[in-house]
Amino acid sequence: MRLYIFDADDTLRRTLVPGQPSPRAPEEWELLPGVAKRLRRIRWGEDAVLGIASNQDQVGYGHVDLSVAHRLLVDLAEAASGWRPPAEAVVLCPHRLDEPCECRKPEAGMLRRILSYYGIPADRALFVGDAETDRDAARRAGVPFLPARDFFGWSEDRR
């Protein structure tokens, strides 16, 4: 079994509200081009399992409720892959940017939590993200990293 962990914003989805870093409601996001096509080729639950690790500081600032932000990520995983991962495999950092924590990427807390949940060693996982903080979190967790543009085969402009 292989574990694929994905960042959410600008890796799987984009926010439709200008200037807003992450969605606060179901109608405020859409999948990025090619995401569903690529992820629906994987046999989820048989050959692979999925996790999401996403910084969601909008929770800490009071712009969105923790349960809503988590539900949006679980719904994102299902929309992208056609497979609904366990809620425990969808992890977010709710802390404000100025609030120190062990979960906010580039820290490895969220990745380690997902690895632990599934009981899968780091070398059997892959973290896909769009930012240097994603790459750094993967390195700190000992998880191989692949940029989203390479995983999904995007050119520079994916809008």
Side-chain angles (χ1 to χ4, degrees), residues 23-56:
R24 300 174 186 168
E27 66 278 359
E28 294 182 355
W29 66 273
E30 67 183 6
L31 289 175
L32 286 166
V35 165
K37 181 178 180 183
R38 170 72 169 93
L39 293 185
R40 288 173 183 247
R41 292 192 314 234
I42 297 170
R43 295 183 336 173
W44 299 107
E46 296 176 43
D47 297 335
V49 288
L50 183 146
I52 301 251
S54 181
N55 292 341
Q56 294 290 308

Side-chain angles (χ1 to χ4, degrees), residues 59-141:
V59 173
Y61 292 116
H63 298 303
V64 63
D65 184 75
L66 177 64
S67 63
V68 171
H70 188 262
R71 189 188 76 242
L72 289 171
L73 291 172
V74 172
D75 291 348
L76 166 63
E78 186 173 24
S81 69
W83 184 74
R84 193 167 189 87
E88 297 86 356
V90 177
V91 182
L92 63 90
C93 172
H95 304 105
R96 295 185 325 264
L97 294 172
D98 61 347
E99 191 175 349
C101 66
E102 294 182 10
C103 51
R104 170 171 292 286
K105 296 175 288 177
E107 299 302 326
M110 289 187 286
L111 299 181
R112 289 185 180 130
R113 192 166 147 195
I114 296 167
L115 290 166
S116 176
Y117 171 75
Y118 280 120
I120 293 177
D123 66 348
R124 296 281 304 143
L126 176 68
F127 185 40
V128 178
D130 69 305
E132 282 304 309
T133 53
D134 297 326
R135 182 184 303 277
D136 291 344
R139 181 183 47 77
R140 290 175 180 182

